[in-house]
Amino acid sequence: MKKFLTLCASLMFSFISVHAQDLDEKYGADLLKPGTAAPEIIINKDGGKMNLLEENKGKYIVLDFWASWCGDCRKELKYLRSINRTYGNTDDIEVIGYSFDNEKSAWKKCIKDSALVWQNYLSNVPMRNSRVKKDYNIGWIPTIYLIDKEGKVVLATVVMDKVMAKLKEIAPSVAPDYLPLESLIAPEKKKKK
């Protein structure tokens, strides 16, 4: 029975890995490639303008493009919270959210209700008209970019597992404060005595 459960878990993980690859092939094929300079994002802040990437230069940036009306985005917020708990206190990695919400009140409510404590910014134009959407070739959300300390794309994906794996590569000495996604799929049941 134990061998059967192990086989089922392996097959399930294999299916999810293939499915994850398929998601990037389907929704992430046009995203910026690794090594490409990440386009600057101009943010309206405190009555002025801020260059988002320049402001965070010298750090790796986990840049999450999302919206509160996007069900898939909301599902992935728990993983971003874990990433922020794990890496947000380091001097090297910054989590930043960029929302394509249509309503500021819905965006603010989602941030509050979901306890999003990292930097979050709201696009000032609808997603379909957004310069940022065009610059980053975003056709699907959530889309996550990992940008290096020099402002170049390290990873562009719609698959959170890939982000978590890349962060482990970048900061191997940091103990993750999250369970790997595969452990959430088919946890082994403990035997009762």
Side-chain angles (χ1 to χ4, degrees):
M1 181 67 170
K2 189 175 182 180
K3 287 182 181 179
F4 176 74
L5 289 175
T6 303
L7 176 64
C8 288
S10 295
L11 288 172
M12 192 176 222
F13 181 68
S14 296
F15 170 76
I16 288 170
S17 295
V18 168
H19 181 66
Q21 289 173 344
D22 290 345
L23 287 175
D24 260 350
E25 288 171 12
K26 185 173 184 177
Y27 300 113
D30 294 329
L31 297 176
L32 300 178
K33 303 300 179 221
T36 304
E40 185 59 82
I41 300 173
I42 309 298
I43 301 292
N44 293 323
K45 184 178 178 186
D46 302 327
K49 305 266 186 208
M50 178 183 85
N51 294 336
L52 186 62
L53 300 182
E54 184 64 34
E55 190 74 19
N56 291 282
K57 196 167 186 153
K59 296 181 179 184
Y60 280 92
I61 299 170
V62 177
L63 182 55
D64 176 43
F65 294 102
W66 70 288
S68 67
W69 46 260
C70 165
D72 289 338
C73 299
R74 296 201 54 154
K75 287 177 192 172
E76 292 203 344
L77 291 177
K78 62 185 167 200
Y79 301 111
L80 284 166
R81 275 194 302 276
S82 294
I83 287 170
N84 190 62
R85 270 196 316 273
T86 300
Y87 301 102
N89 292 328
T90 70
D91 292 332
D92 292 331
I93 300 171
E94 190 74 39
V95 177
I96 299 174
Y98 187 89
S99 174
F100 291 111
D101 267 282
N102 300 322
E103 296 179 25
K104 189 172 186 175
S105 59
W107 170 68
K108 282 187 167 190
K109 182 177 182 342
C110 184
I111 288 172
K112 181 181 177 197
D113 293 350
S114 302
L116 308 183
V117 296
W118 53 89
Q119 294 181 56
N120 260 288
Y121 301 97
L122 179 64
S123 174
N124 58 354
V125 296
M127 186 174 170
R128 70 179 170 276
N129 300 331
S130 170
R131 177 72 189 198
V132 171
K133 176 193 177 290
K134 292 174 186 153
D135 287 350
Y136 280 83
N137 296 335
I138 298 169
W140 177 267
I141 55 174
T143 291
I144 304 102
Y145 274 85
L146 182 57
I147 300 168
D148 71 14
K149 294 178 179 187
E150 287 77 42
K152 295 197 185 292
V153 173
V154 174
L155 175 71
T157 185
V158 298
V159 181
M160 186 58 74
D161 237 359
K162 292 181 181 183
V163 176
M164 295 165 109
K166 188 56 87 172
L167 286 169
K168 282 183 195 176
E169 268 180 46
I170 291 168
S173 63
V174 177
D177 186 16
Y178 56 79
L179 293 173
L181 292 181
E182 65 269 13
S183 70
L184 299 174
I185 296 161
E188 288 188 14
K189 294 181 181 178
K190 294 184 180 180
K191 292 182 182 178
K192 293 182 181 178
K193 292 184 178 182

